[in-house]
Amino acid sequence: MELAFTEEQFQEAWKELDERALPEGWELFTETMGIQIYRLYDQKTGLYEYKIYGGLADCPAELCADVYMDLDYRKQWDQYVKALQEDRNGEDKVIYWEVKYPFPLSNRDYVYIRERRDLDVTGRKIFVILAQSISVPHCPEKSGIVRVNGYKQSLAIESDGSNGCKVFMYYFDNPGGMIPSWLINWAAKSGVPNFLKDMQKACKGYATKDSSK
């Protein structure tokens, strides 16, 4: 299995930190706590793609990237994680992730690959993480859990010149099943900023954890 990410995708992600790529069709969905969320309607699926721009104070860029990549630590701070583990599929690492959904909805799960690159862009250190869903025989669908397909995510992180970081995130998935539109809107409008707030807290906890070693 070949890695699915191209050099161009990494370049596109970090460039969003400098100049937002929001061609016609993208609309400002919500703005809160210094975070702006844009969305684009996808005709094929009837769902939205999202782009998030913002920053995390008191969260250095490399630390933020480390926290995001640390699956074991995420199980401690992300209350929606039901299961999260990494398996090898040949040379590549495949991640299995089950997300808790509120009753009466079924939990969702993801099978995906990801790659992190630490880029040097004319002296700027930028961390880019790409992820996308994949189908592999050793992670079949489970009864009672809805498999999410079409998951794609890009994340670019750079220092804000102080002790925090600038963040760009692109996100799309198809949660499947009969989820009311109000819940999908709530997840984007409330869930994303809350996730970034949790990330901020996790960064502080991670720094404390490392310094106590």
Side-chain angles (χ1 to χ4, degrees):
M1 183 176 71
E2 295 180 6
L3 269 182
F5 310 114
T6 66
E7 181 65 31
E8 186 182 5
Q9 286 174 289
F10 285 94
Q11 296 296 320
E12 283 175 358
W14 78 257
K15 285 176 181 174
E16 293 267 12
L17 292 168
D18 289 350
E19 190 172 335
R20 300 178 180 188
L22 296 166
E24 188 177 347
W26 285 92
E27 61 178 5
L28 180 62
F29 178 44
T30 187
E31 185 170 4
T32 177
M33 301 176 300
I35 296 162
Q36 294 178 318
I37 303 176
Y38 292 82
R39 69 180 184 179
L40 176 68
Y41 184 71
D42 182 65
Q43 298 277 0
K44 210 184 297 181
T45 61
L47 300 167
Y48 286 94
E49 301 172 64
Y50 295 95
K51 286 187 176 184
I52 298 106
Y53 303 88
L56 298 176
D58 302 318
C59 188
E62 185 166 9
L63 176 63
C64 186
D66 289 346
V67 166
Y68 190 82
M69 292 293 290
D70 192 327
L71 299 182
D72 286 334
Y73 185 50
R74 181 160 181 175
K75 285 185 270 191
Q76 297 176 38
W77 63 265
D78 187 344
Q79 62 179 319
Y80 297 105
V81 171
K82 172 78 173 175
L84 187 58
Q85 63 199 52
E86 200 167 50
D87 298 308
R88 278 209 170 273
N89 182 56
E91 290 301 305
D92 299 310
K93 291 178 182 174
V94 176
I95 296 166
Y96 175 80
W97 175 31
E98 183 184 343
V99 181
K100 298 175 192 171
Y101 267 59
F103 180 83
L105 299 172
S106 302
N107 284 358
R108 263 59 181 171
D109 68 3
Y110 299 71
V111 176
Y112 66 99
I113 53 172
R114 67 176 180 179
E115 185 181 348
R116 167 180 165 174
R117 288 192 194 172
D118 300 354
L119 306 178
D120 184 327
V121 181
T122 59
R124 297 161 59 188
K125 195 162 188 184
I126 302 176
F127 306 90
V128 179
I129 301 163
L130 303 181
Q132 75 174 39
S133 57
I134 194 167
S135 179
V136 288
H138 72 279
C139 290
E141 295 187 24
K142 299 180 180 181
S143 175
I145 302 173
V146 177
R147 175 63 48 87
V148 174
N149 296 306
Y151 168 64
K152 290 183 290 184
Q153 187 171 34
S154 307
L155 181 66
I157 310 165
E158 181 183 26
S159 171
D160 63 3
S162 183
N163 197 42
C165 62
K166 294 188 290 182
V167 176
F168 160 73
M169 184 188 291
Y170 165 86
Y171 185 86
F172 175 81
D173 75 15
N174 186 348
M178 298 299 291
I179 301 182
S181 58
W182 67 262
L183 184 58
I184 293 175
N185 284 340
W186 171 85
K189 196 169 270 192
S190 306
V192 171
N194 286 342
F195 173 75
L196 291 174
K197 272 201 301 188
D198 288 345
M199 270 280 293
Q200 200 170 27
K201 285 183 200 163
C203 284
K204 290 176 182 175
Y206 204 66
T208 305
K209 182 187 78 169
D210 286 352
S211 64
S212 64
K213 283 182 182 176

PDB file of all heavy atoms in Angstrom, residues 33-68:
ATOM      1  N   MET A  33     -13.985  33.003  19.511  1.00  0.00           N
ATOM      2  CA  MET A  33     -12.709  32.888  20.226  1.00  0.00           C
ATOM      3  C   MET A  33     -11.502  33.038  19.288  1.00  0.00           C
ATOM      4  O   MET A  33     -10.513  32.340  19.416  1.00  0.00           O
ATOM      5  CB  MET A  33     -12.622  31.545  20.959  1.00  0.00           C
ATOM      6  CG  MET A  33     -13.735  31.345  21.962  1.00  0.00           C
ATOM      7  SD  MET A  33     -13.706  29.713  22.747  1.00  0.00           S
ATOM      8  CE  MET A  33     -13.868  28.630  21.352  1.00  0.00           C
ATOM      9  N   GLY A  34     -11.636  33.940  18.307  1.00  0.00           N
ATOM     10  CA  GLY A  34     -10.530  34.158  17.383  1.00  0.00           C
ATOM     11  C   GLY A  34     -10.374  33.068  16.337  1.00  0.00           C
ATOM     12  O   GLY A  34      -9.391  33.031  15.603  1.00  0.00           O
ATOM     13  N   ILE A  35     -11.341  32.162  16.257  1.00  0.00           N
ATOM     14  CA  ILE A  35     -11.306  31.069  15.275  1.00  0.00           C
ATOM     15  C   ILE A  35     -12.392  31.312  14.241  1.00  0.00           C
ATOM     16  O   ILE A  35     -13.552  31.569  14.582  1.00  0.00           O
ATOM     17  CB  ILE A  35     -11.540  29.706  15.976  1.00  0.00           C
ATOM     18  CG1 ILE A  35     -10.410  29.419  16.958  1.00  0.00           C
ATOM     19  CG2 ILE A  35     -11.653  28.584  14.954  1.00  0.00           C
ATOM     20  CD1 ILE A  35     -10.763  28.367  17.975  1.00  0.00           C
ATOM     21  N   GLN A  36     -12.019  31.265  12.971  1.00  0.00           N
ATOM     22  CA  GLN A  36     -12.976  31.432  11.889  1.00  0.00           C
ATOM     23  C   GLN A  36     -13.167  30.103  11.162  1.00  0.00           C
ATOM     24  O   GLN A  36     -12.187  29.437  10.816  1.00  0.00           O
ATOM     25  CB  GLN A  36     -12.485  32.491  10.894  1.00  0.00           C
ATOM     26  CG  GLN A  36     -12.423  33.890  11.490  1.00  0.00           C
ATOM     27  CD  GLN A  36     -11.900  34.909  10.506  1.00  0.00           C
ATOM     28  OE1 GLN A  36     -10.952  34.638   9.774  1.00  0.00           O
ATOM     29  NE2 GLN A  36     -12.502  36.082  10.480  1.00  0.00           N
ATOM     30  N   ILE A  37     -14.428  29.735  10.968  1.00  0.00           N
ATOM     31  CA  ILE A  37     -14.741  28.482  10.284  1.00  0.00           C
ATOM     32  C   ILE A  37     -15.499  28.809   9.000  1.00  0.00           C
ATOM     33  O   ILE A  37     -16.532  29.478   9.028  1.00  0.00           O
ATOM     34  CB  ILE A  37     -15.595  27.556  11.175  1.00  0.00           C
ATOM     35  CG1 ILE A  37     -14.882  27.270  12.499  1.00  0.00           C
ATOM     36  CG2 ILE A  37     -15.888  26.244  10.447  1.00  0.00           C
ATOM     37  CD1 ILE A  37     -15.713  26.447  13.472  1.00  0.00           C
ATOM     38  N   TYR A  38     -14.947  28.353   7.884  1.00  0.00           N
ATOM     39  CA  TYR A  38     -15.588  28.511   6.586  1.00  0.00           C
ATOM     40  C   TYR A  38     -16.093  27.152   6.124  1.00  0.00           C
ATOM     41  O   TYR A  38     -15.540  26.111   6.501  1.00  0.00           O
ATOM     42  CB  TYR A  38     -14.600  29.061   5.557  1.00  0.00           C
ATOM     43  CG  TYR A  38     -14.171  30.485   5.812  1.00  0.00           C
ATOM     44  CD1 TYR A  38     -13.166  30.775   6.726  1.00  0.00           C
ATOM     45  CD2 TYR A  38     -14.778  31.547   5.135  1.00  0.00           C
ATOM     46  CE1 TYR A  38     -12.766  32.093   6.970  1.00  0.00           C
ATOM     47  CE2 TYR A  38     -14.396  32.860   5.365  1.00  0.00           C
ATOM     48  CZ  TYR A  38     -13.388  33.129   6.280  1.00  0.00           C
ATOM     49  OH  TYR A  38     -13.006  34.427   6.514  1.00  0.00           O
ATOM     50  N   ARG A  39     -17.128  27.173   5.287  1.00  0.00           N
ATOM     51  CA  ARG A  39     -17.632  25.898   4.782  1.00  0.00           C
ATOM     52  C   ARG A  39     -17.984  26.012   3.305  1.00  0.00           C
ATOM     53  O   ARG A  39     -18.260  27.092   2.777  1.00  0.00           O
ATOM     54  CB  ARG A  39     -18.847  25.439   5.587  1.00  0.00           C
ATOM     55  CG  ARG A  39     -20.095  26.266   5.394  1.00  0.00           C
ATOM     56  CD  ARG A  39     -21.234  25.728   6.244  1.00  0.00           C
ATOM     57  NE  ARG A  39     -22.472  26.468   5.997  1.00  0.00           N
ATOM     58  CZ  ARG A  39     -23.636  26.206   6.584  1.00  0.00           C
ATOM     59  NH1 ARG A  39     -23.723  25.220   7.469  1.00  0.00           N
ATOM     60  NH2 ARG A  39     -24.719  26.908   6.305  1.00  0.00           N
ATOM     61  N   LEU A  40     -17.984  24.856   2.635  1.00  0.00           N
ATOM     62  CA  LEU A  40     -18.303  24.751   1.214  1.00  0.00           C
ATOM     63  C   LEU A  40     -19.232  23.568   1.021  1.00  0.00           C
ATOM     64  O   LEU A  40     -18.916  22.450   1.453  1.00  0.00           O
ATOM     65  CB  LEU A  40     -17.019  24.554   0.393  1.00  0.00           C
ATOM     66  CG  LEU A  40     -17.198  24.337  -1.111  1.00  0.00           C
ATOM     67  CD1 LEU A  40     -17.710  25.607  -1.787  1.00  0.00           C
ATOM     68  CD2 LEU A  40     -15.876  23.882  -1.745  1.00  0.00           C
ATOM     69  N   TYR A  41     -20.376  23.809   0.399  1.00  0.00           N
ATOM     70  CA  TYR A  41     -21.350  22.737   0.172  1.00  0.00           C
ATOM     71  C   TYR A  41     -20.842  21.790  -0.910  1.00  0.00           C
ATOM     72  O   TYR A  41     -20.393  22.223  -1.974  1.00  0.00           O
ATOM     73  CB  TYR A  41     -22.695  23.336  -0.252  1.00  0.00           C
ATOM     74  CG  TYR A  41     -23.788  22.322  -0.405  1.00  0.00           C
ATOM     75  CD1 TYR A  41     -24.335  21.692   0.710  1.00  0.00           C
ATOM     76  CD2 TYR A  41     -24.284  21.992  -1.663  1.00  0.00           C
ATOM     77  CE1 TYR A  41     -25.353  20.760   0.574  1.00  0.00           C
ATOM     78  CE2 TYR A  41     -25.302  21.062  -1.813  1.00  0.00           C
ATOM     79  CZ  TYR A  41     -25.828  20.447  -0.686  1.00  0.00           C
ATOM     80  OH  TYR A  41     -26.833  19.524  -0.829  1.00  0.00           O
ATOM     81  N   ASP A  42     -20.888  20.506  -0.606  1.00  0.00           N
ATOM     82  CA  ASP A  42     -20.442  19.486  -1.555  1.00  0.00           C
ATOM     83  C   ASP A  42     -21.678  18.856  -2.214  1.00  0.00           C
ATOM     84  O   ASP A  42     -22.446  18.145  -1.558  1.00  0.00           O
ATOM     85  CB  ASP A  42     -19.623  18.418  -0.811  1.00  0.00           C
ATOM     86  CG  ASP A  42     -19.091  17.350  -1.759  1.00  0.00           C
ATOM     87  OD1 ASP A  42     -18.266  17.688  -2.615  1.00  0.00           O
ATOM     88  OD2 ASP A  42     -19.509  16.184  -1.630  1.00  0.00           O
ATOM     89  N   GLN A  43     -21.859  19.148  -3.506  1.00  0.00           N
ATOM     90  CA  GLN A  43     -23.064  18.685  -4.215  1.00  0.00           C
ATOM     91  C   GLN A  43     -23.190  17.171  -4.210  1.00  0.00           C
ATOM     92  O   GLN A  43     -24.283  16.618  -4.110  1.00  0.00           O
ATOM     93  CB  GLN A  43     -23.012  19.176  -5.680  1.00  0.00           C
ATOM     94  CG  GLN A  43     -22.999  20.689  -5.828  1.00  0.00           C
ATOM     95  CD  GLN A  43     -24.389  21.297  -5.752  1.00  0.00           C
ATOM     96  OE1 GLN A  43     -25.366  20.583  -5.585  1.00  0.00           O
ATOM     97  NE2 GLN A  43     -24.482  22.609  -5.857  1.00  0.00           N
ATOM     98  N   LYS A  44     -22.068  16.493  -4.314  1.00  0.00           N
ATOM     99  CA  LYS A  44     -22.082  15.035  -4.447  1.00  0.00           C
ATOM    100  C   LYS A  44     -22.663  14.351  -3.206  1.00  0.00           C
ATOM    101  O   LYS A  44     -23.424  13.396  -3.303  1.00  0.00           O
ATOM    102  CB  LYS A  44     -20.650  14.536  -4.686  1.00  0.00           C
ATOM    103  CG  LYS A  44     -20.568  13.252  -5.515  1.00  0.00           C
ATOM    104  CD  LYS A  44     -19.141  12.763  -5.635  1.00  0.00           C
ATOM    105  CE  LYS A  44     -18.270  13.783  -6.372  1.00  0.00           C
ATOM    106  NZ  LYS A  44     -16.875  13.281  -6.514  1.00  0.00           N
ATOM    107  N   THR A  45     -22.294  14.847  -2.033  1.00  0.00           N
ATOM    108  CA  THR A  45     -22.696  14.183  -0.779  1.00  0.00           C
ATOM    109  C   THR A  45     -23.795  14.922  -0.022  1.00  0.00           C
ATOM    110  O   THR A  45     -24.414  14.358   0.877  1.00  0.00           O
ATOM    111  CB  THR A  45     -21.489  14.061   0.161  1.00  0.00           C
ATOM    112  OG1 THR A  45     -21.009  15.376   0.472  1.00  0.00           O
ATOM    113  CG2 THR A  45     -20.379  13.247  -0.468  1.00  0.00           C
ATOM    114  N   GLY A  46     -24.021  16.205  -0.368  1.00  0.00           N
ATOM    115  CA  GLY A  46     -24.978  16.997   0.400  1.00  0.00           C
ATOM    116  C   GLY A  46     -24.416  17.440   1.741  1.00  0.00           C
ATOM    117  O   GLY A  46     -25.149  17.912   2.615  1.00  0.00           O
ATOM    118  N   LEU A  47     -23.106  17.291   1.912  1.00  0.00           N
ATOM    119  CA  LEU A  47     -22.444  17.672   3.164  1.00  0.00           C
ATOM    120  C   LEU A  47     -21.520  18.867   2.907  1.00  0.00           C
ATOM    121  O   LEU A  47     -21.411  19.350   1.787  1.00  0.00           O
ATOM    122  CB  LEU A  47     -21.636  16.493   3.707  1.00  0.00           C
ATOM    123  CG  LEU A  47     -22.448  15.235   4.028  1.00  0.00           C
ATOM    124  CD1 LEU A  47     -21.526  14.043   4.259  1.00  0.00           C
ATOM    125  CD2 LEU A  47     -23.330  15.469   5.256  1.00  0.00           C
ATOM    126  N   TYR A  48     -20.877  19.332   3.967  1.00  0.00           N
ATOM    127  CA  TYR A  48     -19.984  20.485   3.846  1.00  0.00           C
ATOM    128  C   TYR A  48     -18.529  20.091   4.094  1.00  0.00           C
ATOM    129  O   TYR A  48     -18.238  19.234   4.932  1.00  0.00           O
ATOM    130  CB  TYR A  48     -20.363  21.562   4.865  1.00  0.00           C
ATOM    131  CG  TYR A  48     -21.620  22.320   4.521  1.00  0.00           C
ATOM    132  CD1 TYR A  48     -22.858  21.922   5.032  1.00  0.00           C
ATOM    133  CD2 TYR A  48     -21.579  23.437   3.685  1.00  0.00           C
ATOM    134  CE1 TYR A  48     -24.016  22.624   4.720  1.00  0.00           C
ATOM    135  CE2 TYR A  48     -22.729  24.142   3.372  1.00  0.00           C
ATOM    136  CZ  TYR A  48     -23.943  23.730   3.892  1.00  0.00           C
ATOM    137  OH  TYR A  48     -25.090  24.420   3.577  1.00  0.00           O
ATOM    138  N   GLU A  49     -17.638  20.754   3.363  1.00  0.00           N
ATOM    139  CA  GLU A  49     -16.218  20.744   3.686  1.00  0.00           C
ATOM    140  C   GLU A  49     -15.965  21.960   4.574  1.00  0.00           C
ATOM    141  O   GLU A  49     -16.638  22.984   4.426  1.00  0.00           O
ATOM    142  CB  GLU A  49     -15.370  20.875   2.417  1.00  0.00           C
ATOM    143  CG  GLU A  49     -15.582  19.783   1.386  1.00  0.00           C
ATOM    144  CD  GLU A  49     -14.840  20.111   0.099  1.00  0.00           C
ATOM    145  OE1 GLU A  49     -13.597  20.179   0.130  1.00  0.00           O
ATOM    146  OE2 GLU A  49     -15.506  20.314  -0.923  1.00  0.00           O
ATOM    147  N   TYR A  50     -14.982  21.851   5.460  1.00  0.00           N
ATOM    148  CA  TYR A  50     -14.696  22.954   6.380  1.00  0.00           C
ATOM    149  C   TYR A  50     -13.229  23.355   6.322  1.00  0.00           C
ATOM    150  O   TYR A  50     -12.344  22.511   6.154  1.00  0.00           O
ATOM    151  CB  TYR A  50     -15.035  22.552   7.816  1.00  0.00           C
ATOM    152  CG  TYR A  50     -16.513  22.302   8.036  1.00  0.00           C
ATOM    153  CD1 TYR A  50     -17.041  21.015   7.958  1.00  0.00           C
ATOM    154  CD2 TYR A  50     -17.386  23.355   8.295  1.00  0.00           C
ATOM    155  CE1 TYR A  50     -18.403  20.789   8.136  1.00  0.00           C
ATOM    156  CE2 TYR A  50     -18.746  23.133   8.480  1.00  0.00           C
ATOM    157  CZ  TYR A  50     -19.250  21.854   8.390  1.00  0.00           C
ATOM    158  OH  TYR A  50     -20.590  21.634   8.561  1.00  0.00           O
ATOM    159  N   LYS A  51     -13.000  24.665   6.469  1.00  0.00           N
ATOM    160  CA  LYS A  51     -11.651  25.191   6.670  1.00  0.00           C
ATOM    161  C   LYS A  51     -11.676  26.047   7.928  1.00  0.00           C
ATOM    162  O   LYS A  51     -12.558  26.896   8.092  1.00  0.00           O
ATOM    163  CB  LYS A  51     -11.193  26.023   5.469  1.00  0.00           C
ATOM    164  CG  LYS A  51     -10.836  25.193   4.244  1.00  0.00           C
ATOM    165  CD  LYS A  51     -10.229  26.062   3.148  1.00  0.00           C
ATOM    166  CE  LYS A  51      -9.791  25.207   1.958  1.00  0.00           C
ATOM    167  NZ  LYS A  51      -9.102  26.024   0.920  1.00  0.00           N
ATOM    168  N   ILE A  52     -10.711  25.803   8.796  1.00  0.00           N
ATOM    169  CA  ILE A  52     -10.649  26.492  10.081  1.00  0.00           C
ATOM    170  C   ILE A  52      -9.339  27.261  10.169  1.00  0.00           C
ATOM    171  O   ILE A  52      -8.265  26.711   9.897  1.00  0.00           O
ATOM    172  CB  ILE A  52     -10.740  25.475  11.253  1.00  0.00           C
ATOM    173  CG1 ILE A  52     -12.092  24.735  11.206  1.00  0.00           C
ATOM    174  CG2 ILE A  52     -10.578  26.161  12.596  1.00  0.00           C
ATOM    175  CD1 ILE A  52     -12.021  23.333  10.732  1.00  0.00           C
ATOM    176  N   TYR A  53      -9.435  28.528  10.530  1.00  0.00           N
ATOM    177  CA  TYR A  53      -8.254  29.374  10.699  1.00  0.00           C
ATOM    178  C   TYR A  53      -8.291  29.963  12.106  1.00  0.00           C
ATOM    179  O   TYR A  53      -9.336  30.439  12.566  1.00  0.00           O
ATOM    180  CB  TYR A  53      -8.253  30.525   9.696  1.00  0.00           C
ATOM    181  CG  TYR A  53      -8.312  30.103   8.251  1.00  0.00           C
ATOM    182  CD1 TYR A  53      -9.529  29.894   7.610  1.00  0.00           C
ATOM    183  CD2 TYR A  53      -7.143  29.928   7.503  1.00  0.00           C
ATOM    184  CE1 TYR A  53      -9.594  29.514   6.273  1.00  0.00           C
ATOM    185  CE2 TYR A  53      -7.196  29.548   6.167  1.00  0.00           C
ATOM    186  CZ  TYR A  53      -8.424  29.343   5.565  1.00  0.00           C
ATOM    187  OH  TYR A  53      -8.477  28.967   4.241  1.00  0.00           O
ATOM    188  N   GLY A  54      -7.157  29.947  12.782  1.00  0.00           N
ATOM    189  CA  GLY A  54      -7.138  30.514  14.125  1.00  0.00           C
ATOM    190  C   GLY A  54      -5.781  30.364  14.760  1.00  0.00           C
ATOM    191  O   GLY A  54      -4.758  30.221  14.078  1.00  0.00           O
ATOM    192  N   GLY A  55      -5.777  30.389  16.082  1.00  0.00           N
ATOM    193  CA  GLY A  55      -4.520  30.271  16.798  1.00  0.00           C
ATOM    194  C   GLY A  55      -4.751  29.723  18.194  1.00  0.00           C
ATOM    195  O   GLY A  55      -5.875  29.749  18.712  1.00  0.00           O
ATOM    196  N   LEU A  56      -3.703  29.196  18.779  1.00  0.00           N
ATOM    197  CA  LEU A  56      -3.752  28.687  20.142  1.00  0.00           C
ATOM    198  C   LEU A  56      -2.690  29.415  20.961  1.00  0.00           C
ATOM    199  O   LEU A  56      -1.497  29.287  20.680  1.00  0.00           O
ATOM    200  CB  LEU A  56      -3.487  27.178  20.164  1.00  0.00           C
ATOM    201  CG  LEU A  56      -4.479  26.286  19.414  1.00  0.00           C
ATOM    202  CD1 LEU A  56      -4.029  24.834  19.452  1.00  0.00           C
ATOM    203  CD2 LEU A  56      -5.867  26.409  20.014  1.00  0.00           C
ATOM    204  N   ALA A  57      -3.144  30.180  21.935  1.00  0.00           N
ATOM    205  CA  ALA A  57      -2.205  30.889  22.800  1.00  0.00           C
ATOM    206  C   ALA A  57      -1.540  29.898  23.750  1.00  0.00           C
ATOM    207  O   ALA A  57      -2.131  28.875  24.120  1.00  0.00           O
ATOM    208  CB  ALA A  57      -2.946  31.970  23.585  1.00  0.00           C
ATOM    209  N   ASP A  58      -0.319  30.201  24.138  1.00  0.00           N
ATOM    210  CA  ASP A  58       0.419  29.379  25.110  1.00  0.00           C
ATOM    211  C   ASP A  58       0.541  27.923  24.676  1.00  0.00           C
ATOM    212  O   ASP A  58       0.516  27.010  25.507  1.00  0.00           O
ATOM    213  CB  ASP A  58      -0.234  29.454  26.508  1.00  0.00           C
ATOM    214  CG  ASP A  58      -0.298  30.883  27.024  1.00  0.00           C
ATOM    215  OD1 ASP A  58       0.695  31.607  26.841  1.00  0.00           O
ATOM    216  OD2 ASP A  58      -1.333  31.263  27.595  1.00  0.00           O
ATOM    217  N   CYS A  59       0.625  27.703  23.389  1.00  0.00           N
ATOM    218  CA  CYS A  59       0.784  26.346  22.863  1.00  0.00           C
ATOM    219  C   CYS A  59       1.799  26.410  21.720  1.00  0.00           C
ATOM    220  O   CYS A  59       1.418  26.672  20.579  1.00  0.00           O
ATOM    221  CB  CYS A  59      -0.560  25.808  22.386  1.00  0.00           C
ATOM    222  SG  CYS A  59      -0.513  24.066  21.927  1.00  0.00           S
ATOM    223  N   PRO A  60       3.091  26.221  21.998  1.00  0.00           N
ATOM    224  CA  PRO A  60       4.108  26.296  20.943  1.00  0.00           C
ATOM    225  C   PRO A  60       3.818  25.325  19.808  1.00  0.00           C
ATOM    226  O   PRO A  60       3.244  24.248  20.025  1.00  0.00           O
ATOM    227  CB  PRO A  60       5.403  25.925  21.680  1.00  0.00           C
ATOM    228  CG  PRO A  60       5.135  26.238  23.119  1.00  0.00           C
ATOM    229  CD  PRO A  60       3.671  25.953  23.319  1.00  0.00           C
ATOM    230  N   ALA A  61       4.223  25.706  18.601  1.00  0.00           N
ATOM    231  CA  ALA A  61       3.839  24.954  17.397  1.00  0.00           C
ATOM    232  C   ALA A  61       4.293  23.497  17.439  1.00  0.00           C
ATOM    233  O   ALA A  61       3.509  22.584  17.157  1.00  0.00           O
ATOM    234  CB  ALA A  61       4.400  25.654  16.158  1.00  0.00           C
ATOM    235  N   GLU A  62       5.555  23.248  17.793  1.00  0.00           N
ATOM    236  CA  GLU A  62       6.042  21.867  17.789  1.00  0.00           C
ATOM    237  C   GLU A  62       5.336  21.037  18.850  1.00  0.00           C
ATOM    238  O   GLU A  62       4.997  19.879  18.620  1.00  0.00           O
ATOM    239  CB  GLU A  62       7.560  21.835  18.009  1.00  0.00           C
ATOM    240  CG  GLU A  62       8.123  20.432  17.880  1.00  0.00           C
ATOM    241  CD  GLU A  62       9.642  20.384  17.751  1.00  0.00           C
ATOM    242  OE1 GLU A  62      10.294  21.436  17.934  1.00  0.00           O
ATOM    243  OE2 GLU A  62      10.163  19.305  17.468  1.00  0.00           O
ATOM    244  N   LEU A  63       5.082  21.646  20.001  1.00  0.00           N
ATOM    245  CA  LEU A  63       4.360  20.948  21.068  1.00  0.00           C
ATOM    246  C   LEU A  63       2.952  20.590  20.602  1.00  0.00           C
ATOM    247  O   LEU A  63       2.463  19.477  20.843  1.00  0.00           O
ATOM    248  CB  LEU A  63       4.305  21.832  22.318  1.00  0.00           C
ATOM    249  CG  LEU A  63       3.498  21.298  23.502  1.00  0.00           C
ATOM    250  CD1 LEU A  63       4.101  20.007  24.034  1.00  0.00           C
ATOM    251  CD2 LEU A  63       3.421  22.339  24.617  1.00  0.00           C
ATOM    252  N   CYS A  64       2.297  21.519  19.912  1.00  0.00           N
ATOM    253  CA  CYS A  64       0.952  21.277  19.397  1.00  0.00           C
ATOM    254  C   CYS A  64       0.953  20.088  18.428  1.00  0.00           C
ATOM    255  O   CYS A  64       0.088  19.214  18.497  1.00  0.00           O
ATOM    256  CB  CYS A  64       0.444  22.539  18.706  1.00  0.00           C
ATOM    257  SG  CYS A  64      -1.265  22.439  18.161  1.00  0.00           S
ATOM    258  N   ALA A  65       1.951  20.044  17.542  1.00  0.00           N
ATOM    259  CA  ALA A  65       2.060  18.932  16.589  1.00  0.00           C
ATOM    260  C   ALA A  65       2.308  17.615  17.318  1.00  0.00           C
ATOM    261  O   ALA A  65       1.728  16.579  16.976  1.00  0.00           O
ATOM    262  CB  ALA A  65       3.176  19.209  15.593  1.00  0.00           C
ATOM    263  N   ASP A  66       3.161  17.650  18.346  1.00  0.00           N
ATOM    264  CA  ASP A  66       3.454  16.433  19.122  1.00  0.00           C
ATOM    265  C   ASP A  66       2.202  15.917  19.824  1.00  0.00           C
ATOM    266  O   ASP A  66       1.929  14.705  19.839  1.00  0.00           O
ATOM    267  CB  ASP A  66       4.547  16.708  20.156  1.00  0.00           C
ATOM    268  CG  ASP A  66       5.921  16.906  19.535  1.00  0.00           C
ATOM    269  OD1 ASP A  66       6.091  16.566  18.345  1.00  0.00           O
ATOM    270  OD2 ASP A  66       6.823  17.417  20.235  1.00  0.00           O
ATOM    271  N   VAL A  67       1.447  16.833  20.425  1.00  0.00           N
ATOM    272  CA  VAL A  67       0.213  16.451  21.131  1.00  0.00           C
ATOM    273  C   VAL A  67      -0.780  15.843  20.146  1.00  0.00           C
ATOM    274  O   VAL A  67      -1.415  14.826  20.422  1.00  0.00           O
ATOM    275  CB  VAL A  67      -0.403  17.673  21.860  1.00  0.00           C
ATOM    276  CG1 VAL A  67      -1.835  17.385  22.305  1.00  0.00           C
ATOM    277  CG2 VAL A  67       0.443  18.066  23.056  1.00  0.00           C
ATOM    278  N   TYR A  68      -0.910  16.456  18.982  1.00  0.00           N
ATOM    279  CA  TYR A  68      -1.859  15.966  17.981  1.00  0.00           C
ATOM    280  C   TYR A  68      -1.492  14.562  17.504  1.00  0.00           C
ATOM    281  O   TYR A  68      -2.369  13.741  17.228  1.00  0.00           O
ATOM    282  CB  TYR A  68      -1.892  16.928  16.799  1.00  0.00           C
ATOM    283  CG  TYR A  68      -3.012  16.647  15.831  1.00  0.00           C
ATOM    284  CD1 TYR A  68      -4.300  17.123  16.075  1.00  0.00           C
ATOM    285  CD2 TYR A  68      -2.795  15.892  14.685  1.00  0.00           C
ATOM    286  CE1 TYR A  68      -5.328  16.850  15.195  1.00  0.00           C
ATOM    287  CE2 TYR A  68      -3.822  15.621  13.802  1.00  0.00           C
ATOM    288  CZ  TYR A  68      -5.086  16.107  14.065  1.00  0.00           C
ATOM    289  OH  TYR A  68      -6.118  15.824  13.204  1.00  0.00           O
TER     290      TYR A  68
END
